[in-house]
């Protein structure tokens, strides 16, 4: 299978012992796009609409984290924030990306925060969408997402949790994501990442308040008012903790801001990144 038959497969870059699958589209100021942790997710599945909308003005770079999509990783890989951060830093080094704007979605928001906290010189502006990264009580939605076991019915249920607009959850989309979730290597990886009890993984992906308060980069938080996976309170907390920050809340929006409000989201991102 290749990019002619599967658009989720892009280019490959060796990052230590991780062969990272990624997409690199457009020209201009670079934006690093960090995807979420839903079952069957990939960078392309998460960011395809954003890439298509912004590629005339920016360079969009979207890697698959180890354990997701089409990135290849060793069987001994331990899936945790430190190792994912090492992958991203190595990825940036190998592409010659000294400094980037970063957009992190959900789980990817925690990784965007990690990059800003531990490698602040590598981050220009920061955008966090429905972001993990601060303590909160595990939601039933996130518990279901992280506890997913592959079946069409389970994937359909998960995607209905993600979306406020249920009309977006068509059988074709569900089938595509279900098939992706059954890929042998990533299925095994996903099942090992967030075993119950899952509140501990919320804590593991959270950052200390003092570390977040040290972030100096201009930061935009974006959140769906009706998000059943990551509560709006996480973005409100970060708005309070990050000095140079702002928050945009979309009504009638779940955990899929970049899909449910694609045009408004990409315009918001473009305006923020182009502002002084």
């Amino acid at each position: 299978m290749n990019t002619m038959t599967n658009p989720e497969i892009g280019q490959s870059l060796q990052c230590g012992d991780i062969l990272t699958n990624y997409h690199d589209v457009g020209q201009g100021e670079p934006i690093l796009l960090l995807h979420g942790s839903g079952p069957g997710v990939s960078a392309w599945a998460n960011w395809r609409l954003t890439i298509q909308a912004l590629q005339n003005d920016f360079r969009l770079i979207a890697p698959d984290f180890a354990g997701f999509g089409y990135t290849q990783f060793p069987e001994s890989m331990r899936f945790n924030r430190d190792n994912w951060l090492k992958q991203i830093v190595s990825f940036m080094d190998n592409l010659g990306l000294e400094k980037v704007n970063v957009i992190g979605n959900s789980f990817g928001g925690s990784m965007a925060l990690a990059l800003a906290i531990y490698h602040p010189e590598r981050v220009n502006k920061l955008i966090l969408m429905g972001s993990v990264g601060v303590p909160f009580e595990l939601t039933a939605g996130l518990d279901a997402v992280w506890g997913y076991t592959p079946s069409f019915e389970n994937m359909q249920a998960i995607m209905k949790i993600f979306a406020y607009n249920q009309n977006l959850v068509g059988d074709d989309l569900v089938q595509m994501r279900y098939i992706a979730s059954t890929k042998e290597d990533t299925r095994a990886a996903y099942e090992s990442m967030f075993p119950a009890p899952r509140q501990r993984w919320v804590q593991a992906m959270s950052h200390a308040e003092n570390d977040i308060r040290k972030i100096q980069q201009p930061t935009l938080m974006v959140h769906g008012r009706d998000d059943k996976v990551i509560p709006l309170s996480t973005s409100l907390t970060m708005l309070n903790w990050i000095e140079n920050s702002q928050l945009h809340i979309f009504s009638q929006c779940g955990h899929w801001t970049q899909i449910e409000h694609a045009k408004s989201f990409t315009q918001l991102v473009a305006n923020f990144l182009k502002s002084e």
Side-chain angles (χ1 to χ4, degrees):
M1 186 176 290
N2 54 43
T3 54
M4 296 300 292
T5 57
N6 187 349
E8 294 182 275
I9 300 175
Q11 304 178 59
S12 294
L13 187 66
Q14 195 71 47
C15 303
D17 55 4
I18 299 169
L19 184 63
T20 299
N21 176 65
Y22 72 102
H23 303 269
D24 190 343
V25 180
Q27 295 182 337
E29 191 174 352
I31 303 175
L32 180 65
L33 299 162
L34 302 180
H35 65 74
S37 63
V41 77
S42 69
W44 183 255
N46 226 169
W47 296 117
R48 63 192 185 282
L49 300 180
T50 305
I51 290 171
Q52 291 162 7
L54 295 177
Q55 62 184 330
N56 291 332
D57 296 311
F58 299 95
R59 180 184 175 190
L60 290 304
I61 306 152
D64 288 346
F65 282 108
F68 297 93
Y70 290 85
T71 284
Q72 299 175 28
F73 50 92
E75 290 185 7
S76 59
M77 175 84 185
R78 293 186 63 189
F79 300 104
N80 56 45
R81 195 176 67 195
D82 288 346
N83 285 335
W84 282 313
L85 180 59
K86 288 176 184 177
Q87 178 194 359
I88 291 304
V89 172
S90 175
F91 176 76
M92 290 177 63
D93 289 344
N94 291 344
L95 274 184
L97 296 169
E98 293 185 7
K99 197 169 190 177
V100 295
N101 300 298
V102 186
I103 307 179
N105 173 28
S106 192
F107 154 87
S110 177
M111 298 313 305
L113 286 165
L115 189 63
I117 290 168
Y118 297 106
H119 302 275
E121 74 286 354
R122 309 297 294 268
V123 177
N124 182 26
K125 291 184 177 182
L126 185 62
I127 300 174
L128 305 169
M129 190 181 75
S131 181
V132 179
V134 298
F136 64 93
E137 185 176 346
L138 179 73
T139 63
L142 183 57
D143 195 34
V145 170
W146 279 351
Y148 166 85
T149 55
S151 75
F152 180 91
E153 292 74 19
N154 288 347
M155 180 59 76
Q156 185 177 56
I158 291 298
M159 299 189 82
K160 286 185 175 180
I161 292 171
F162 278 132
Y164 176 87
N165 180 0
Q166 298 293 290
N167 291 329
L168 292 173
V169 186
D171 287 352
D172 289 347
L173 180 59
V174 173
Q175 181 69 11
M176 180 181 71
R177 287 291 294 269
Y178 162 61
I179 291 173
S181 76
T182 62
K183 196 159 70 71
E184 185 175 352
D185 56 346
T186 51
R187 173 181 177 175
Y190 193 78
E191 290 176 352
S192 74
M193 282 180 200
F194 309 111
R198 297 186 179 89
Q199 182 66 48
R200 55 182 165 158
W201 307 120
V202 173
Q203 301 307 121
M205 296 304 295
S206 296
H207 300 275
E209 178 179 347
N210 286 342
D211 287 337
I212 293 178
R213 286 187 179 275
K214 291 176 184 177
I215 292 174
Q216 299 297 312
Q217 289 86 350
T219 301
L220 169 66
M221 273 83 70
V222 181
H223 217 114
R225 183 195 63 191
D226 310 289
D227 193 333
K228 295 180 180 178
V229 181
I230 307 301
L232 175 59
S233 62
T234 64
S235 288
L236 292 170
T237 296
M238 287 186 281
L239 180 67
N240 184 47
W241 288 358
I242 301 174
E243 183 66 24
N244 188 4
S245 66
Q246 56 184 285
L247 170 61
H248 188 100
I249 302 170
F250 284 94
S251 64
Q252 298 183 319
C253 182
H255 197 55
W256 271 357
T257 307
Q258 82 281 28
I259 296 172
E260 294 194 88
H261 294 270
K263 185 175 181 180
S264 296
F265 172 73
T266 53
Q267 188 61 61
L268 183 67
V269 167
N271 290 343
F272 175 70
L273 294 181
K274 291 178 179 179
S275 65
E276 295 297 329

